[in-house]
Amino acid sequence: MNVRPFLVTWASALDVPERGKRIAWEWPELVAFVRDVRSWTQPKSSLPVWSPATFRGDHRKGENLEAVGLLVFDIDAKDQPEPLTEPRFHKLIGELFESRAWLAHSSFSATSEAPSWRLILPLAEPLEGARFALAHKHLRKVLAKVGIVQDENAKDAARAFFVPVRPPSGWFVASVHEGQLIDGEKYATKEEASEALERELAAREAARRREALEATARRRGRGSPLARARAYLARVEPAVSGQHGHTKTLEAALKVADVCGLDEAATLEALREYGARCVPPWSEKELRHKAREAVKILEKRGGR
């Protein structure tokens, strides 16, 4: 394969507070990294680590992220609905990505009875942080659809991974499939559209709930949910910092969210006047957080 170099960051150990070393891997070097491993008899914690991203000053922190050139997925045996044996894993990945390039190897703790895997998808072009997050999220969904559950921690663009080695158990498997590089931007765009649709559907559902509540209130000769929420808050003593202010405001937000039919926008609207009376007054950002938290809590409880 004639492709661009893949830039990664290397460190001698996971917990060593040092700058990483930026390395450019050509495709043959990436293949050798996965396939040509050494035996390792020391504790896993002493292994070198690598990150599929580059960072300003080569300091591996999220705020220093420059770009990600490889998408990496950790697939632990304990998370799988059924064992991902070597034949099954390779069959599923091969069917999913067909003519595209991918690499995979077993993890340090893997055994033939409980196989865990690391999947590496080389990108045609590096992705910056926000686009990486979208592409990675979309591909997690793609893998989940065929029953491959991933460790959520791998979605962190600054995550470091232990280098592949043959562990003390002696069981190690590596696979390389040559083909077209992964178009990460395509997957990022798909996930962006999916999230936009989810927001639109959520907004429609909130509007439907609001209209239903208002219609019920009109039939019963009562005010709208928002008016009732405001009337309730007018009777609530303002929260005071140092006197369980956070708890008191969240309790008020829960009541308001219930009255407003789990409508986050209406809950926030009702909370604004109350928040202005608190000591000190709540900021718009803080009130929005309270409204969102209240709605999530009630949704977990099963709604109204």
Side-chain angles (χ1 to χ4, degrees):
M1 289 175 61
N2 184 21
V3 298
R4 63 170 182 80
F6 301 98
L7 297 178
V8 302
T9 300
W10 186 278
S12 60
L14 184 62
D15 298 325
V16 174
E18 64 177 18
R19 289 175 59 185
K21 180 181 179 183
R22 188 174 302 207
I23 300 174
W25 280 337
E26 300 289 345
W27 175 256
E29 293 170 308
L30 179 58
V31 171
F33 169 69
V34 171
R35 274 184 175 164
D36 302 336
V37 302
R38 54 180 166 164
S39 295
W40 192 264
T41 58
Q42 300 301 312
K44 177 182 176 181
S45 58
S46 61
L47 278 169
V49 296
W50 70 288
S51 171
T54 55
F55 306 87
R56 288 186 296 277
D58 294 329
H59 287 287
R60 188 179 57 83
K61 293 182 179 180
E63 60 264 32
N64 295 335
L65 181 69
E66 291 179 339
V68 183
L70 301 151
L71 297 181
V72 181
F73 302 86
D74 272 350
I75 303 164
D76 293 335
K78 61 180 176 59
D79 298 327
Q80 307 312 308
E82 60 180 287
L84 275 174
T85 61
E86 181 183 349
R88 181 168 177 265
F89 175 74
H90 290 97
K91 178 177 183 293
L92 291 173
I93 298 300
E95 290 174 349
L96 278 178
F97 296 106
E98 297 182 313
S99 61
R100 297 176 181 84
W102 57 270
L103 308 94
H105 64 83
S106 54
S107 71
F108 188 86
S109 59
T111 65
S112 57
E113 294 77 23
S116 296
W117 305 96
R118 177 160 298 142
L119 174 65
I120 304 171
L121 302 179
L123 295 172
E125 294 294 337
L127 295 173
E128 55 86 23
R131 305 307 289 175
F132 158 81
L134 288 166
H136 201 277
K137 180 179 179 181
H138 189 82
L139 284 165
R140 290 199 307 274
K141 292 179 180 178
V142 170
L143 290 167
K145 284 182 179 179
V146 297
I148 300 178
V149 181
Q150 311 91 58
D151 180 351
E152 286 291 308
N153 290 321
K155 67 183 180 182
D156 180 0
R159 181 175 175 82
F161 300 92
F162 290 111
V163 302
V165 294
R166 187 175 298 278
S169 69
W171 194 76
F172 179 80
V173 177
S175 298
V176 175
H177 185 268
E178 296 192 356
Q180 299 175 350
L181 298 185
I182 300 293
D183 185 351
E185 182 57 34
K186 179 183 74 174
Y187 291 114
T189 300
K190 284 185 176 181
E191 186 57 31
E192 199 170 40
S194 176
E195 289 186 353
L197 179 59
E198 288 175 4
R199 288 193 298 271
E200 181 182 347
L201 293 175
R204 289 180 184 176
E205 176 61 17
R208 186 195 65 76
R209 285 182 179 176
R210 185 166 57 248
E211 290 170 2
L213 285 168
E214 290 176 351
T216 300
R218 286 194 297 271
R219 286 197 302 270
R220 295 175 179 176
R222 301 163 65 189
S224 70
L226 182 56
R228 286 188 284 121
R230 283 172 168 160
Y232 160 75
L233 288 173
R235 300 191 300 271
V236 176
E237 289 294 322
V240 178
S241 178
Q243 298 179 21
H244 305 290
H246 281 278
T247 301
K248 187 169 185 177
T249 304
L250 179 58
E251 289 174 351
L254 285 167
K255 176 65 175 179
V256 169
D258 186 41
V259 170
C260 292
L262 309 186
D263 184 333
E264 185 180 321
T267 302
L268 174 60
E269 179 67 24
L271 285 174
R272 287 193 177 106
E273 294 176 13
Y274 172 74
R277 293 193 289 117
C278 295
V279 183
W282 292 105
S283 68
E284 178 75 8
K285 181 179 179 181
E286 290 169 326
L287 290 174
R288 184 177 294 108
H289 176 75
K290 292 293 183 189
R292 183 173 297 120
E293 185 179 4
V295 169
K296 286 182 178 179
I297 290 172
L298 290 178
E299 286 177 337
K300 286 181 180 178
R301 293 177 183 173
R304 306 183 68 201

